[in-house]
Amino acid sequence: MNSNDFGLAHVWMQGDFVTRFVAVLLLAMSVASWMVILMKALDLRRFMGQARRIESFWHAADFADGLSKLGPDASNPFRALALEGREAAAHHNAQEQLHDTLGASEWLTRALRNSIDDSTARMQSGLAVLASVGSTAPFIGLFGTVWGIYHALLSISTAGQATIDKVAGPIGEALIMTALGLAVAIPAVLGYNALVRGNKGVLNKLNRFAHDLHAYFVTGARVASGNPTKVVPMKKGS
């Protein structure tokens, strides 16, 4: 018996509609998961680069110069947070009736939190695909395994005896489907965990930046790290 009888080409040629459908479905899930992993990894790398510009923002001459140091990228969550804080502060100062119902600190907190929530939703988009692939691919491969064993039993029943020629092909299909399911699921799970961990690091930096922005717009200065009683002044340029 040729070793090629157990290859993917043999599975495709000898398999029925169900076997081919399972193989195509697993292939599509693998392509989708790898696309999400690569795209989100590039986004994460860009966000980490943008996070390193925060200190340059605080060392700028004024707020406008700080925004320029954060970069012109509209998808930059740190730039979006700074702009949201500035707009919220300007809106609160312009609307006198808000002073009687909502303090500046609470108003800014809500605005900054909304911006962080929007950035969180964007960073987490696509991760549901990885979670779905990681949780379902092994069971889809298992379905292919069960279907292959079912074919093996039918071959044995038809032949009247369990010869290697009758069961090797279907059993080979079953084993390959199991391997394909695991090969699709494992990268999806690892990629999901890595991206969640990376997003958590970016969100931590985003929350710290929001805390500093809140202090800046309320008190006029950023709270210096490591010394909560010391503040770092910065001009409120537009």
Side-chain angles (χ1 to χ4, degrees):
M1 182 173 293
N2 196 312
S3 60
N4 291 329
D5 292 341
F6 300 97
L8 291 175
H10 178 265
V11 172
W12 182 261
M13 296 300 297
Q14 300 300 322
D16 60 1
F17 171 77
V18 175
T19 301
R20 294 181 180 182
F21 175 77
V22 171
V24 171
L25 180 59
L26 288 174
L27 177 61
M29 294 172 69
S30 178
V31 171
S33 62
W34 277 108
M35 286 182 61
V36 171
I37 290 172
L38 293 177
M39 292 176 62
K40 303 305 290 186
L42 291 175
D43 289 343
L44 188 59
R45 181 181 180 183
R46 185 174 73 254
F47 293 150
M48 294 301 293
Q50 293 167 347
R52 288 191 288 269
R53 302 177 185 173
I54 294 177
E55 285 303 318
S56 297
F57 170 85
W58 290 117
H59 286 87
D62 53 32
F63 192 84
D65 184 40
L67 284 178
S68 66
K69 291 183 180 300
L70 289 178
D73 187 2
S75 64
N76 184 342
F78 301 95
R79 178 182 175 85
L81 189 64
L83 289 173
E84 186 68 24
R86 184 182 67 178
E87 292 175 4
H91 180 73
H92 186 276
N93 294 333
Q95 303 294 326
E96 295 182 359
Q97 65 271 21
L98 288 176
H99 295 179
D100 299 328
T101 58
L102 197 63
S105 177
E106 185 178 358
W107 176 258
L108 283 168
T109 298
R110 292 186 178 185
L112 294 174
R113 175 51 55 190
N114 288 337
S115 179
I116 292 177
D117 290 342
D118 291 340
S119 298
T120 301
R122 287 194 297 270
M123 283 189 286
Q124 292 180 346
S125 63
L127 296 184
V129 174
L130 297 181
S132 299
V133 171
S135 60
T136 59
F139 296 101
I140 295 175
L142 182 61
F143 174 77
T145 299
V146 173
W147 192 259
I149 294 175
Y150 169 71
H151 276 187
L153 295 176
L154 287 181
S155 299
I156 294 172
S157 176
T158 303
Q161 56 181 349
T163 61
I164 190 65
D165 294 335
K166 299 297 183 182
V167 301
I171 294 298
E173 293 177 11
L175 296 175
I176 289 177
M177 288 300 170
T178 301
L180 285 178
L182 294 175
V184 173
I186 292 175
V189 172
L190 295 178
Y192 176 84
N193 292 335
L195 291 173
V196 168
R197 186 167 57 251
N199 286 344
K200 184 178 180 180
V202 174
L203 289 175
N204 286 338
K205 295 179 183 295
L206 199 60
N207 277 290
R208 287 197 295 268
F209 187 47
H211 174 75
D212 289 340
L213 285 173
H214 181 274
Y216 167 71
F217 285 113
V218 173
T219 67
R222 168 203 183 192
V223 178
S225 59
N227 188 355
T229 63
K230 180 182 178 181
V231 295
V232 180
M234 179 181 179
K235 295 180 181 179
K236 290 187 176 181
S238 57

